[in-house]
Amino acid sequence: MAPEVIRHQLPLFDEDGRAGATDDEHGRDLYYLPDLPEEDPYAAGHRTCAGCGPAIQYRWVLKAAGQDTVVAGPTGCMYVANSTYLCTPYTVPWAHTPIASGGSFTSGMAAGYEAMIRKGRYPGPYPNILVMAGDGSASDIGIGSISGALYRNHDALFICYDNECYANTGIQVSPTTPYAGMTTFTPFGKAIPEGNRLPPKNLAKMMAEGHPHCYVATTTVGYPVDLMNKTRKGLNHVGAAFLHCYTPCQKGWVYQTSMTVELGRRVVESGLWPVWEYDPAQRQYHYFHPPVQRPVTDYLAMQGRFGHMLPEHVATTQVGANRNWEAIGMDVPQHLRDLEDPGRHQRLKDEEYSMPLNRGVGA
Ligand SMILES: Cc1ncc(C[n+]2csc(CCOP(=O)(O)OP(=O)(O)O)c2C)c(N)n1
Ligand code: SF4
Ligand SMILES: [Mg+2]
């Protein structure tokens, strides 16, 4: 009889009702961290920019996954900056894949381990198998291979680290670049004053709606325990899982280096990044309701990529945020409804809105 495939069951970290965090002046607990593993499969030695959101995500994900893990990474910043000749931060097996093949490569790893264990050629247990692909890869060039892997239900975790641009090739627009986000391919000017005219692709909802048997969730680097627990839930799920993680790109978005995690909170608190989990057993979405609801300007004004926005562009972004609040079952306070009126805004770069931060690109 073929040997049984034994799978890991990773325990969840205690969130103690504090995943949303709470005890600064907005009621957020900024410093809550339960006992975390000391191991760091993503160790020092990478060459990403200071404050790089994807690097923070990689570290937390691999801390949660642990040493019995194999990782794939399609082309992008997190391939290039992490695999300089003879130097890598990984203490677990890692492989680079072409940008379009993160899904198919990872399917192959999953199928290969299953087959080797059943044939008695690998002792097991079945390792944690995951791929971390950029938004250009996961939502654009490689979306077909990831969708195929989810559909076939390979037992692996497929993660999109979303820095909302093709960063590695010079901050070009990607399908997840937000409306009015300036990139090198969407400069603002007289003809197109908002820079990027299109709303971002709703990648995670596409994955959940299109593959209803898969575990799907969204998260951000602003909520490390949530990110690590969703990593573990995705790995514990027998079958395919997809995680969409918001990861600021310091170089492309132009903000103060120390603000990466704060951005990960504010994008949620301004209604621009709903955090949720899709449970395939119940076929239900569970939405996180943050304790704070902010105007979108609290988020936009921290970043140089939005520094060119005119009142009507800010109002358009607020409209989108307000519809997101409704979609996740939260009331929209009157002061946020009022901000749908362009007349309520000034040009974003007016100091009234800004934090004392780098205004760089577009300022
Ligand atoms: C088929 C193909 N097209 C284009 C490229 C060039 N390329 C290398 S990295 C990269 C950016 C990838 O963007 P993303 O997946 O979002 O990762 P990031 O660089 O933002 O981390 C591109 C376009 C490539 N390697 N392969
Ligand atoms: S360009 Fe952006 S994603 Fe790439 S290493 Fe720098 S901060 Fe990270
Ligand atoms: Mg990217």
Side-chain angles (χ1 to χ4, degrees):
M1 210 171 89
E4 194 189 343
V5 179
I6 308 287
R7 291 178 156 84
H8 293 295
Q9 273 299 314
L10 299 162
L12 298 187
F13 299 104
D14 181 12
E15 295 189 52
D16 199 18
R18 295 195 282 183
T22 55
D23 67 30
D24 66 359
E25 79 269 28
H26 298 293
R28 301 180 305 174
D29 178 356
L30 290 176
Y31 305 107
Y32 173 66
L33 281 178
D35 288 339
L36 299 177
E38 290 200 358
E39 60 192 359
D40 252 329
Y42 182 76
H46 60 81
R47 288 181 169 80
T48 66
C49 308
C52 172
I56 295 172
Q57 187 226 267
Y58 262 54
R59 184 169 177 220
W60 291 124
V61 163
L62 290 180
K63 212 178 224 320
Q67 283 306 141
D68 193 10
T69 300
V70 290
V71 191
T75 317
C77 268
M78 296 308 284
Y79 152 58
V80 176
N82 288 324
S83 59
T84 316
Y85 185 58
L86 292 182
C87 176
T88 136
Y90 299 106
T91 64
V92 292
W94 169 88
H96 167 238
T97 83
I99 196 168
S101 318
S104 43
F105 185 95
T106 308
S107 305
M109 287 202 293
Y113 271 105
E114 290 243 21
M116 286 195 300
I117 292 171
R118 289 193 194 287
K119 288 179 180 174
R121 293 196 194 158
Y122 182 77
Y126 186 82
N128 299 313
I129 298 175
L130 61 91
V131 59
M132 291 190 267
D135 48 293
S137 172
S139 75
D140 204 7
I141 302 176
I143 191 172
S145 77
I146 293 186
S147 172
L150 295 182
Y151 174 67
R152 294 189 303 273
N153 208 21
H154 291 283
D155 192 6
L157 174 59
F158 301 81
I159 300 178
C160 173
Y161 70 86
D162 192 352
N163 55 13
E164 301 182 344
C165 62
Y166 282 94
N168 187 242
T169 34
I171 322 295
Q172 290 90 19
V173 68
S174 90
T176 61
T177 302
Y179 168 77
M182 185 181 143
T183 68
T184 50
F185 277 12
T186 54
F188 68 93
K190 282 193 182 142
I192 308 179
E194 65 268 62
N196 181 31
R197 282 181 160 160
L198 300 173
K201 189 183 276 189
N202 197 338
L203 178 65
K205 272 279 163 84
M206 283 174 69
M207 293 309 196
E209 293 290 321
H211 313 87
H213 54 286
C214 299
Y215 171 84
V216 181
T218 67
T219 186
T220 88
V221 292
Y223 301 87
V225 184
D226 184 67
L227 166 58
M228 286 190 286
N229 273 340
K230 284 173 176 167
T231 298
R232 288 194 162 183
K233 285 184 189 177
L235 290 168
N236 289 344
H237 174 74
V238 180
F242 182 81
L243 186 57
H244 191 190
C245 185
Y246 167 94
T247 55
C249 167
Q250 198 279 333
K251 178 181 163 193
W253 301 8
V254 191
Y255 60 87
Q256 268 188 2
T257 307
S258 59
M259 289 293 159
T260 305
V261 169
E262 179 67 18
L263 281 170
R265 295 285 177 83
R266 287 202 183 198
V267 72
V268 177
E269 294 169 351
S270 59
L272 294 170
W273 185 277
V275 168
W276 50 263
E277 214 172 12
Y278 170 76
D279 175 358
Q282 300 297 324
R283 302 267 163 120
Q284 272 180 348
Y285 290 91
H286 300 285
Y287 295 106
F288 169 62
H289 289 176
V292 184
Q293 286 176 287
R294 300 168 176 275
V296 294
T297 42
D298 278 7
Y299 170 73
L300 301 174
M302 292 173 73
Q303 303 163 66
R305 65 175 170 155
F306 296 120
H308 58 286
M309 285 173 79
L310 299 173
E312 57 268 35
H313 307 145
V314 181
T316 299
T317 303
Q318 188 68 57
V319 169
N322 289 352
R323 298 298 82 78
N324 283 344
W325 289 127
E326 289 163 357
I328 68 171
M330 287 184 77
D331 291 334
V332 183
Q334 191 56 46
H335 73 277
L336 296 185
R337 287 193 189 279
D338 292 345
L339 293 173
E340 295 186 20
D341 173 8
R344 298 286 183 133
H345 298 282
Q346 297 176 344
R347 188 167 178 182
L348 186 61
K349 74 182 197 176
D350 285 358
E351 288 312 310
E352 184 179 319
Y353 281 145
S354 68
M355 295 179 56
L357 297 177
N358 183 351
R359 302 218 126 262
V361 177

